Amino acid sequence: MEYAAKITGTGSAFPQKRVSNTDISQKLAQSGIETSDSWIRERTGIAERRMSTPGNSEEHNSSLGLAAALNALKMAGKTPLDIDQIIYATCTPDTIIPSTACWLQHKLGAVKAWGMDLNAACSGFIYGLSIADQFIRTGQVKTCLVIGAEVLSSIINWEDRSSCILFGDGAGAAIVERTQETSAHRILSTHLLSDGNLWEMLHVPAGGSAQPVTPEMILQNLNKIHMNGREIFKVAVRTLSSFAVKALKKNQMTVDMLDWFVPHQANIRIIEAVAKRLNLPMEKVLVNVDRYGNTSSATVPSMLDEAVRDGRIQKGQTVLLDAFGAGLTYGAVLMRW
Ligand code: ACO
């Protein structure tokens, strides 16, 4: 018997604290750095984002992941003991060792599962979904929990006004289950690529084994995000568009057959430029970057969860997930809901 995979439950969770653009401009003003609510809104579409409160264990990465996972399990009608596999996409793990997947497993009591972390930055959830799809299609796994969760506030460089305005914290989750290959509701295809040659566009120089952190490095913000926003912008528009076309072509579909496009939420101008290139009306594009900013691997699953819960995404509709991230990494998943 041939298998396929489908998403049967979604969930999301965000920290309590809302950080407005005005909050950020006031914070930066203390260091003599200028920005404004109007600049941030016009250039990014972001109005506010959520940030974990340091020291609050309820808002650790794995705790946000736990809340999202519990929501997704409830929607799928499953318990933690039904989970065979946990794929935890994050670039801001609770700890280097053990994996955040293991922290989550501990908190969730998913004792029958094996879990691992996956770092593909903002493409992480799509990479995770692709891996789940493979394990399920080969018959090795029946039920997989895929999480995309970040506490990016832990690596924001508050001395760089072009990047500190973009990021937020949050988590999204999906329960992915085995179905028949002939099922109408399933993942249709997955598409992944990375380009390590572009590593410099977004990186955290210190904190890994290549450059363990020293007090001097902390003073220079080398343990924080370094980004070339203008260049990423161009690559993002190009690759999000080309991956959307690739996924549609693979399934002999055209853009007008898409019901919903769920792009990585980095900047409204990137999203609008991609929609324009694809000739896709913005009414079919799901957007929440205004409320949460860029939560990296959490943007796609949390946006998906929001649209499933408010009834925009309906059974039988065609949904395209599409992301790019540090690495650089790219990925798309086309599915029939
Ligand atoms: N407030 C006021 N002025 C600012 C700010 C700010 N927050 N940030 C930059 N500026 C200034 C710049 O200094 C520059 O001034 P200058 O002309 O005097 O030199 C001017 O605004 C224009 O700067 P640009 O970099 O050209 O601005 P741009 O319109 O490209 O917007 C931004 C910058 C928002 C970073 C945009 O390039 C972007 O969103 N890029 C994509 C970034 C991204 O998606 N990163 C996430 C990658 S995914 C992941 O894995 C996490």
Side-chain angles (χ1 to χ4, degrees):
M1 190 183 300
E2 303 290 334
Y3 298 121
K6 66 171 179 181
I7 295 180
T8 55
T10 59
S12 54
F14 293 93
Q16 292 279 319
K17 191 169 71 190
R18 292 168 193 270
V19 179
S20 69
N21 294 340
T22 306
D23 293 333
I24 290 190
S25 49
Q26 284 167 355
K27 182 180 172 74
L28 296 194
Q30 290 167 11
S31 323
I33 302 172
E34 218 184 294
T35 191
S36 64
D37 175 51
S38 59
W39 194 96
I40 301 170
R41 276 179 202 261
E42 275 167 31
R43 297 295 182 111
T44 71
I46 300 168
E48 64 174 27
R49 69 289 287 145
R50 303 292 185 88
M51 286 192 189
S52 294
T53 302
N56 178 359
S57 62
E58 297 292 306
E59 295 187 342
H60 284 170
N61 186 324
S62 61
S63 305
L64 298 174
L66 173 69
L70 288 171
N71 289 336
L73 280 167
K74 196 169 174 197
M75 188 188 285
K78 296 278 166 191
T79 74
L81 294 179
D82 294 316
I83 301 169
D84 304 316
Q85 182 187 38
I86 301 168
I87 301 176
Y88 207 113
T90 188
C91 55
T92 49
D94 276 11
T95 51
I96 302 293
I97 298 173
S99 68
T100 311
C102 284
W103 281 116
L104 174 75
Q105 178 184 32
H106 164 65
K107 293 179 179 183
L108 191 59
V111 294
K112 294 188 178 164
W114 68 269
M116 65 171 189
D117 283 9
L118 183 168
N119 181 352
C122 304
S123 310
F125 178 77
I126 284 177
Y127 275 48
L129 203 50
S130 307
I131 293 170
D133 181 54
Q134 296 295 325
F135 269 94
I136 288 172
R137 285 200 291 116
T138 57
Q140 287 199 47
V141 161
K142 250 185 164 171
T143 305
C144 177
L145 168 62
V146 184
I147 307 258
E150 307 286 356
V151 179
L152 289 170
S153 56
S154 63
I155 54 168
I156 286 176
N157 179 354
W158 290 109
E159 287 174 16
D160 174 12
R161 67 176 177 174
S162 73
S163 66
C164 70
I165 55 166
L166 299 174
F167 301 111
D169 303 337
I175 299 294
V176 190
E177 289 188 66
R178 179 189 287 180
T179 186
Q180 302 308 318
E181 204 192 20
T182 50
S183 167
H185 314 288
R186 63 187 164 88
I187 289 175
L188 300 171
S189 66
T190 67
H191 308 267
L192 306 178
L193 187 72
S194 43
D195 185 353
N197 290 328
L198 301 181
W199 65 270
E200 212 167 356
M201 284 195 186
L202 201 160
H203 68 293
V204 176
S209 60
Q211 284 210 70
V213 182
T214 61
E216 294 73 35
M217 288 174 181
I218 291 173
L219 289 174
Q220 295 169 60
N221 282 313
L222 293 178
N223 57 333
K224 300 289 160 71
I225 290 174
H226 289 242
M227 184 185 85
N228 181 342
R230 212 177 289 185
E231 288 308 310
I232 290 185
F233 193 109
K234 290 185 224 158
V235 179
V237 173
R238 202 170 59 235
T239 56
L240 285 172
S241 312
S242 68
F243 270 70
V245 170
K246 194 187 277 194
L248 289 167
K249 265 195 181 156
K250 170 83 184 166
N251 294 281
Q252 290 91 44
M253 287 183 173
T254 48
V255 170
D256 53 298
M257 293 162 93
L258 263 187
D259 292 297
W260 294 109
F261 180 51
V262 190
H264 172 46
Q265 311 280 314
N267 183 323
I268 191 66
R269 287 163 49 222
I270 293 176
I271 295 172
E272 286 172 348
V274 172
K276 196 170 168 201
R277 272 193 177 210
L278 294 174
N279 213 6
L280 183 69
M282 278 304 285
E283 292 72 42
K284 289 186 170 186
V285 183
L286 296 176
V287 175
N288 67 7
V289 69
D290 50 325
R291 283 168 286 137
Y292 300 113
N294 179 348
T295 57
S296 191
S297 63
T299 70
V300 169
S302 58
M303 183 68 256
L304 188 65
D305 179 51
E306 183 180 319
V308 168
R309 283 177 193 273
D310 68 21
R312 273 177 287 177
I313 295 182
Q314 294 283 328
K315 216 171 163 85
Q317 290 188 326
T318 304
V319 181
L320 176 62
L321 315 182
D322 199 3
F324 68 96
L328 295 184
T329 58
Y330 320 114
V333 172
L334 189 67
M335 63 180 104
R336 176 99 15 78
W337 197 256

mmCIF file of all heavy atoms in Angstrom, residues 298-327:
data_model
loop_
_atom_site.group_PDB
_atom_site.id
_atom_site.type_symbol
_atom_site.label_atom_id
_atom_site.label_comp_id
_atom_site.label_asym_id
_atom_site.label_seq_id
_atom_site.Cartn_x
_atom_site.Cartn_y
_atom_site.Cartn_z
ATOM 1 N N ALA A 298 8.392 30.123 12.685
ATOM 2 C CA ALA A 298 7.017 30.096 13.209
ATOM 3 C C ALA A 298 6.024 30.830 12.311
ATOM 4 O O ALA A 298 4.813 30.680 12.487
ATOM 5 C CB ALA A 298 6.982 30.704 14.610
ATOM 6 N N THR A 299 6.509 31.614 11.321
ATOM 7 C CA THR A 299 5.536 32.435 10.579
ATOM 8 C C THR A 299 4.546 31.578 9.784
ATOM 9 O O THR A 299 3.338 31.805 9.851
ATOM 10 C CB THR A 299 6.186 33.463 9.606
ATOM 11 O OG1 THR A 299 6.772 32.782 8.506
ATOM 12 C CG2 THR A 299 7.188 34.355 10.282
ATOM 13 N N VAL A 300 5.069 30.609 9.035
ATOM 14 C CA VAL A 300 4.182 29.823 8.153
ATOM 15 C C VAL A 300 3.182 28.983 8.963
ATOM 16 O O VAL A 300 1.973 29.052 8.709
ATOM 17 C CB VAL A 300 5.019 28.983 7.158
ATOM 18 C CG1 VAL A 300 4.135 27.974 6.430
ATOM 19 C CG2 VAL A 300 5.716 29.901 6.162
ATOM 20 N N PRO A 301 3.628 28.200 9.978
ATOM 21 C CA PRO A 301 2.633 27.398 10.693
ATOM 22 C C PRO A 301 1.650 28.232 11.524
ATOM 23 O O PRO A 301 0.494 27.837 11.679
ATOM 24 C CB PRO A 301 3.484 26.491 11.597
ATOM 25 C CG PRO A 301 4.785 27.193 11.754
ATOM 26 C CD PRO A 301 4.998 27.910 10.443
ATOM 27 N N SER A 302 2.083 29.377 12.054
ATOM 28 C CA SER A 302 1.144 30.165 12.859
ATOM 29 C C SER A 302 0.126 30.870 11.958
ATOM 30 O O SER A 302 -1.040 31.016 12.317
ATOM 31 C CB SER A 302 1.866 31.153 13.773
ATOM 32 O OG SER A 302 2.662 32.028 13.027
ATOM 33 N N MET A 303 0.581 31.280 10.768
ATOM 34 C CA MET A 303 -0.360 31.888 9.802
ATOM 35 C C MET A 303 -1.366 30.842 9.335
ATOM 36 O O MET A 303 -2.569 31.109 9.225
ATOM 37 C CB MET A 303 0.449 32.434 8.611
ATOM 38 C CG MET A 303 -0.364 33.161 7.570
ATOM 39 S SD MET A 303 -1.069 34.713 8.119
ATOM 40 C CE MET A 303 -2.771 34.295 8.368
ATOM 41 N N LEU A 304 -0.863 29.642 9.063
ATOM 42 C CA LEU A 304 -1.729 28.534 8.632
ATOM 43 C C LEU A 304 -2.779 28.255 9.707
ATOM 44 O O LEU A 304 -3.972 28.134 9.424
ATOM 45 C CB LEU A 304 -0.841 27.298 8.421
ATOM 46 C CG LEU A 304 -1.463 26.065 7.800
ATOM 47 C CD1 LEU A 304 -1.888 26.336 6.368
ATOM 48 C CD2 LEU A 304 -0.447 24.902 7.824
ATOM 49 N N ASP A 305 -2.338 28.195 10.951
ATOM 50 C CA ASP A 305 -3.251 27.905 12.068
ATOM 51 C C ASP A 305 -4.342 28.975 12.162
ATOM 52 O O ASP A 305 -5.524 28.655 12.330
ATOM 53 C CB ASP A 305 -2.445 27.844 13.368
ATOM 54 C CG ASP A 305 -3.340 27.559 14.565
ATOM 55 O OD1 ASP A 305 -4.124 26.587 14.491
ATOM 56 O OD2 ASP A 305 -3.286 28.306 15.546
ATOM 57 N N GLU A 306 -3.919 30.230 12.046
ATOM 58 C CA GLU A 306 -4.899 31.321 12.154
ATOM 59 C C GLU A 306 -5.989 31.181 11.080
ATOM 60 O O GLU A 306 -7.181 31.298 11.368
ATOM 61 C CB GLU A 306 -4.166 32.660 11.999
ATOM 62 C CG GLU A 306 -5.064 33.865 12.153
ATOM 63 C CD GLU A 306 -4.290 35.175 11.980
ATOM 64 O OE1 GLU A 306 -3.145 35.299 12.477
ATOM 65 O OE2 GLU A 306 -4.839 36.093 11.336
ATOM 66 N N ALA A 307 -5.556 30.881 9.849
ATOM 67 C CA ALA A 307 -6.522 30.825 8.738
ATOM 68 C C ALA A 307 -7.381 29.562 8.778
ATOM 69 O O ALA A 307 -8.504 29.566 8.288
ATOM 70 C CB ALA A 307 -5.774 30.922 7.414
ATOM 71 N N VAL A 308 -6.851 28.489 9.371
ATOM 72 C CA VAL A 308 -7.658 27.271 9.532
ATOM 73 C C VAL A 308 -8.718 27.531 10.604
ATOM 74 O O VAL A 308 -9.896 27.221 10.434
ATOM 75 C CB VAL A 308 -6.764 26.075 9.924
ATOM 76 C CG1 VAL A 308 -7.595 24.881 10.382
ATOM 77 C CG2 VAL A 308 -5.885 25.669 8.740
ATOM 78 N N ARG A 309 -8.288 28.163 11.691
ATOM 79 C CA ARG A 309 -9.220 28.383 12.819
ATOM 80 C C ARG A 309 -10.299 29.416 12.510
ATOM 81 O O ARG A 309 -11.423 29.281 12.995
ATOM 82 C CB ARG A 309 -8.444 28.800 14.078
ATOM 83 C CG ARG A 309 -7.787 27.611 14.716
ATOM 84 C CD ARG A 309 -6.949 27.940 15.907
ATOM 85 N NE ARG A 309 -6.157 26.763 16.216
ATOM 86 C CZ ARG A 309 -6.565 25.771 16.989
ATOM 87 N NH1 ARG A 309 -7.738 25.821 17.569
ATOM 88 N NH2 ARG A 309 -5.796 24.715 17.183
ATOM 89 N N ASP A 310 -9.958 30.436 11.710
ATOM 90 C CA ASP A 310 -11.008 31.433 11.432
ATOM 91 C C ASP A 310 -11.837 31.051 10.199
ATOM 92 O O ASP A 310 -12.699 31.819 9.768
ATOM 93 C CB ASP A 310 -10.435 32.861 11.333
ATOM 94 C CG ASP A 310 -9.535 33.076 10.117
ATOM 95 O OD1 ASP A 310 -9.623 32.319 9.139
ATOM 96 O OD2 ASP A 310 -8.744 34.035 10.148
ATOM 97 N N GLY A 311 -11.557 29.871 9.635
ATOM 98 C CA GLY A 311 -12.421 29.341 8.574
ATOM 99 C C GLY A 311 -12.082 29.807 7.175
ATOM 100 O O GLY A 311 -12.783 29.471 6.220
ATOM 101 N N ARG A 312 -10.977 30.583 7.034
ATOM 102 C CA ARG A 312 -10.627 30.974 5.669
ATOM 103 C C ARG A 312 -10.198 29.742 4.866
ATOM 104 O O ARG A 312 -10.635 29.538 3.749
ATOM 105 C CB ARG A 312 -9.494 32.013 5.688
ATOM 106 C CG ARG A 312 -10.001 33.433 5.828
ATOM 107 C CD ARG A 312 -8.877 34.435 5.905
ATOM 108 N NE ARG A 312 -8.187 34.394 7.193
ATOM 109 C CZ ARG A 312 -7.123 35.128 7.515
ATOM 110 N NH1 ARG A 312 -6.606 35.949 6.627
ATOM 111 N NH2 ARG A 312 -6.573 35.056 8.706
ATOM 112 N N ILE A 313 -9.354 28.906 5.445
ATOM 113 C CA ILE A 313 -8.936 27.683 4.737
ATOM 114 C C ILE A 313 -10.003 26.614 4.958
ATOM 115 O O ILE A 313 -10.334 26.276 6.097
ATOM 116 C CB ILE A 313 -7.552 27.204 5.225
ATOM 117 C CG1 ILE A 313 -6.484 28.234 4.850
ATOM 118 C CG2 ILE A 313 -7.227 25.836 4.628
ATOM 119 C CD1 ILE A 313 -5.070 27.860 5.234
ATOM 120 N N GLN A 314 -10.542 26.119 3.857
ATOM 121 C CA GLN A 314 -11.630 25.130 3.899
ATOM 122 C C GLN A 314 -11.171 23.818 3.281
ATOM 123 O O GLN A 314 -10.310 23.814 2.398
ATOM 124 C CB GLN A 314 -12.816 25.651 3.088
ATOM 125 C CG GLN A 314 -13.480 26.889 3.663
ATOM 126 C CD GLN A 314 -14.384 26.570 4.842
ATOM 127 O OE1 GLN A 314 -14.975 25.498 4.901
ATOM 128 N NE2 GLN A 314 -14.480 27.485 5.800
ATOM 129 N N LYS A 315 -11.774 22.743 3.726
ATOM 130 C CA LYS A 315 -11.454 21.418 3.203
ATOM 131 C C LYS A 315 -11.569 21.396 1.672
ATOM 132 O O LYS A 315 -12.502 21.977 1.112
ATOM 133 C CB LYS A 315 -12.419 20.387 3.790
ATOM 134 C CG LYS A 315 -11.759 19.054 4.050
ATOM 135 C CD LYS A 315 -12.673 18.124 4.819
ATOM 136 C CE LYS A 315 -12.194 16.719 4.697
ATOM 137 N NZ LYS A 315 -11.213 16.275 5.568
ATOM 138 N N GLY A 316 -10.574 20.757 1.055
ATOM 139 C CA GLY A 316 -10.597 20.628 -0.409
ATOM 140 C C GLY A 316 -9.877 21.756 -1.123
ATOM 141 O O GLY A 316 -9.664 21.687 -2.338
ATOM 142 N N GLN A 317 -9.458 22.796 -0.368
ATOM 143 C CA GLN A 317 -8.779 23.917 -1.021
ATOM 144 C C GLN A 317 -7.284 23.621 -1.231
ATOM 145 O O GLN A 317 -6.698 22.812 -0.518
ATOM 146 C CB GLN A 317 -8.945 25.187 -0.181
ATOM 147 C CG GLN A 317 -10.387 25.701 -0.199
ATOM 148 C CD GLN A 317 -10.525 27.049 0.458
ATOM 149 O OE1 GLN A 317 -9.824 27.362 1.418
ATOM 150 N NE2 GLN A 317 -11.432 27.868 -0.056
ATOM 151 N N THR A 318 -6.730 24.308 -2.204
ATOM 152 C CA THR A 318 -5.310 24.125 -2.530
ATOM 153 C C THR A 318 -4.503 25.235 -1.862
ATOM 154 O O THR A 318 -4.808 26.420 -2.038
ATOM 155 C CB THR A 318 -5.123 24.148 -4.061
ATOM 156 O OG1 THR A 318 -5.965 23.139 -4.609
ATOM 157 C CG2 THR A 318 -3.688 23.841 -4.437
ATOM 158 N N VAL A 319 -3.505 24.817 -1.084
ATOM 159 C CA VAL A 319 -2.750 25.761 -0.252
ATOM 160 C C VAL A 319 -1.257 25.604 -0.560
ATOM 161 O O VAL A 319 -0.739 24.488 -0.570
ATOM 162 C CB VAL A 319 -2.999 25.464 1.255
ATOM 163 C CG1 VAL A 319 -2.240 26.440 2.143
ATOM 164 C CG2 VAL A 319 -4.492 25.505 1.577
ATOM 165 N N LEU A 320 -0.604 26.734 -0.791
ATOM 166 C CA LEU A 320 0.839 26.706 -1.065
ATOM 167 C C LEU A 320 1.598 27.421 0.046
ATOM 168 O O LEU A 320 1.348 28.604 0.320
ATOM 169 C CB LEU A 320 1.128 27.389 -2.412
ATOM 170 C CG LEU A 320 2.592 27.522 -2.796
ATOM 171 C CD1 LEU A 320 3.267 26.160 -2.957
ATOM 172 C CD2 LEU A 320 2.740 28.322 -4.090
ATOM 173 N N LEU A 321 2.503 26.700 0.705
ATOM 174 C CA LEU A 321 3.387 27.288 1.713
ATOM 175 C C LEU A 321 4.718 27.590 1.021
ATOM 176 O O LEU A 321 5.211 26.756 0.251
ATOM 177 C CB LEU A 321 3.628 26.308 2.874
ATOM 178 C CG LEU A 321 2.432 25.550 3.450
ATOM 179 C CD1 LEU A 321 2.886 24.665 4.612
ATOM 180 C CD2 LEU A 321 1.347 26.514 3.908
ATOM 181 N N ASP A 322 5.330 28.739 1.339
ATOM 182 C CA ASP A 322 6.514 29.153 0.580
ATOM 183 C C ASP A 322 7.405 29.995 1.507
ATOM 184 O O ASP A 322 6.911 30.947 2.129
ATOM 185 C CB ASP A 322 6.030 29.992 -0.615
ATOM 186 C CG ASP A 322 7.051 30.119 -1.728
ATOM 187 O OD1 ASP A 322 8.137 29.521 -1.628
ATOM 188 O OD2 ASP A 322 6.740 30.824 -2.710
ATOM 189 N N ALA A 323 8.685 29.641 1.608
ATOM 190 C CA ALA A 323 9.542 30.394 2.543
ATOM 191 C C ALA A 323 10.973 30.522 2.042
ATOM 192 O O ALA A 323 11.428 29.769 1.171
ATOM 193 C CB ALA A 323 9.534 29.716 3.913
ATOM 194 N N PHE A 324 11.678 31.486 2.625
ATOM 195 C CA PHE A 324 13.127 31.633 2.446
ATOM 196 C C PHE A 324 13.690 31.976 3.813
ATOM 197 O O PHE A 324 12.966 32.454 4.688
ATOM 198 C CB PHE A 324 13.441 32.784 1.463
ATOM 199 C CG PHE A 324 13.084 34.124 2.036
ATOM 200 C CD1 PHE A 324 14.040 34.913 2.673
ATOM 201 C CD2 PHE A 324 11.779 34.580 1.986
ATOM 202 C CE1 PHE A 324 13.697 36.140 3.234
ATOM 203 C CE2 PHE A 324 11.423 35.803 2.548
ATOM 204 C CZ PHE A 324 12.377 36.580 3.167
ATOM 205 N N GLY A 325 14.970 31.696 4.007
ATOM 206 C CA GLY A 325 15.543 32.015 5.315
ATOM 207 C C GLY A 325 17.054 32.063 5.277
ATOM 208 O O GLY A 325 17.680 31.829 4.229
ATOM 209 N N ALA A 326 17.625 32.356 6.431
ATOM 210 C CA ALA A 326 19.081 32.419 6.547
ATOM 211 C C ALA A 326 19.664 31.080 6.129
ATOM 212 O O ALA A 326 19.064 30.024 6.303
ATOM 213 C CB ALA A 326 19.475 32.764 7.975
ATOM 214 N N GLY A 327 20.848 31.158 5.558
ATOM 215 C CA GLY A 327 21.510 29.927 5.067
ATOM 216 C C GLY A 327 22.299 30.168 3.798
ATOM 217 O O GLY A 327 23.467 29.938 3.751
#
